[in-house]
Amino acid sequence: LDKQEYFRMTDLLSDFKIQNYQEAFAELVKSLYVHTVSSDKDALNEQILKILLNNINDYTSVLSILKDDQTVQGHYLRGKAYAKALYKANLENKGSERQGIIEKINQSIEYLKKHNQEKYAQELNIEKEYLSNNQRMDTQLLSEIENFLGIYPNAEVSDLFSFYVGEHYLSIQNYSKADQCLTRIKSMDYLPKMRLERTLIVISSYY
């Protein structure tokens, strides 16, 4: 078992097999309280879907719930769920499934573009390109992410994208750039767990 294969297996276990249901339950209770008080049913439904996606990576349940949802938010969250599915297919070496998943993400992107949701469309396209390349980044994608972060510094996905860029700079031993990106991260709650640990170990050895 070589190092990369070991990393692949531990990433799969930490992100999809071992889930923190206690944390997810805490988020659910908080969302129930906040949105019940405000009587905002749509916001509560959206938050529950995000808990399924971000806290326990249960993209199959999200896809089932959103199967017939033709709203902008439905297409966006369905695209996010398929991005999770693509990441898992990468970790499981299921190359035969990848193209079908990518086509599903493209459908969401096209719908969002037609409905003038450029921010959501750009976000999904960046995730698709990154995951299509097996979590690797080229110069063009790096530029797209940094441009996105410049325009939308407070987007929900900004921490994840900052992590991707920081991880990339670390892989090419540009430690100062990596540090700049990683220090932009406000919350590490929804980042890939084992990859985050490996990144923090490497960057700490730089100092």
Side-chain angles (χ1 to χ4, degrees):
L1 188 67
D2 65 22
K3 184 172 68 173
Q4 292 305 315
E5 180 66 9
Y6 172 77
F7 287 163
R8 183 189 66 79
M9 291 175 64
T10 54
D11 289 344
L12 179 62
L13 283 171
S14 65
D15 290 331
F16 290 99
K17 304 297 184 182
I18 303 170
Q19 302 302 339
N20 189 343
Y21 289 101
Q22 184 176 356
E23 181 183 278
F25 180 72
E27 286 292 322
L28 177 59
V29 170
K30 183 170 69 176
S31 297
L32 284 170
Y33 175 77
V34 170
H35 298 301
T36 300
V37 169
S38 66
S39 300
D40 192 338
K41 181 183 174 183
D42 290 339
L44 176 59
N45 290 342
E46 180 182 337
Q47 194 60 33
I48 289 171
L49 290 170
K50 286 182 177 179
I51 289 168
L52 286 170
L53 267 182
N54 298 326
N55 291 85
I56 53 179
N57 286 323
D58 186 3
Y59 62 85
T60 54
S61 291
V62 172
L63 291 172
S64 177
I65 292 167
L66 295 174
K67 181 176 63 174
D68 300 316
D69 191 321
Q70 294 302 312
T71 64
V72 164
Q73 202 65 16
H75 276 273
Y76 167 67
L77 289 174
R78 196 153 51 237
K80 297 289 284 186
Y82 278 117
K84 292 275 186 182
L86 182 55
Y87 180 41
K88 187 167 184 273
N90 288 345
L91 294 176
E92 292 179 328
N93 288 327
K94 292 184 175 179
S96 59
E97 297 181 6
R98 284 164 40 91
Q99 191 54 45
I101 297 171
I102 291 168
E103 287 173 5
K104 293 290 187 181
I105 300 173
N106 281 333
Q107 289 172 15
S108 289
I109 291 170
E110 288 306 310
Y111 180 93
L112 293 167
K113 285 181 177 177
K114 287 178 184 176
H115 289 79
N116 301 313
Q117 300 294 320
E118 192 60 31
K119 175 185 172 184
Y120 285 164
Q122 284 183 29
E123 177 185 328
L124 286 181
N125 190 63
I126 286 169
E127 289 201 71
K128 180 199 69 176
E129 293 300 319
Y130 178 74
L131 295 168
S132 297
N133 201 32
N134 284 296
Q135 298 82 250
R136 288 190 295 270
M137 200 173 300
D138 58 21
T139 304
Q140 181 180 340
L141 183 56
L142 178 62
S143 177
E144 288 178 21
I145 294 178
E146 292 184 328
N147 182 60
F148 181 92
L149 291 172
I151 299 171
Y152 310 110
N154 297 315
E156 286 187 14
V157 78
S158 62
D159 288 336
L160 182 62
F161 283 1
S162 293
F163 173 73
Y164 288 166
V165 176
E167 190 181 45
H168 165 73
Y169 280 124
L170 208 57
S171 72
I172 60 173
Q173 300 182 342
N174 189 333
Y175 297 108
S176 60
K177 277 278 195 179
D179 184 56
Q180 288 174 25
C181 296
L182 296 171
T183 53
R184 285 201 307 248
I185 295 172
K186 302 178 187 72
S187 171
M188 297 185 177
D189 290 348
Y190 304 132
L191 304 183
K193 299 177 185 68
M194 294 304 295
R195 285 168 58 190
L196 174 62
E197 286 190 20
R198 293 196 298 269
T199 298
L200 293 176
I201 289 169
V202 174
I203 198 68
S204 65
S205 67
Y206 164 67
Y207 290 102

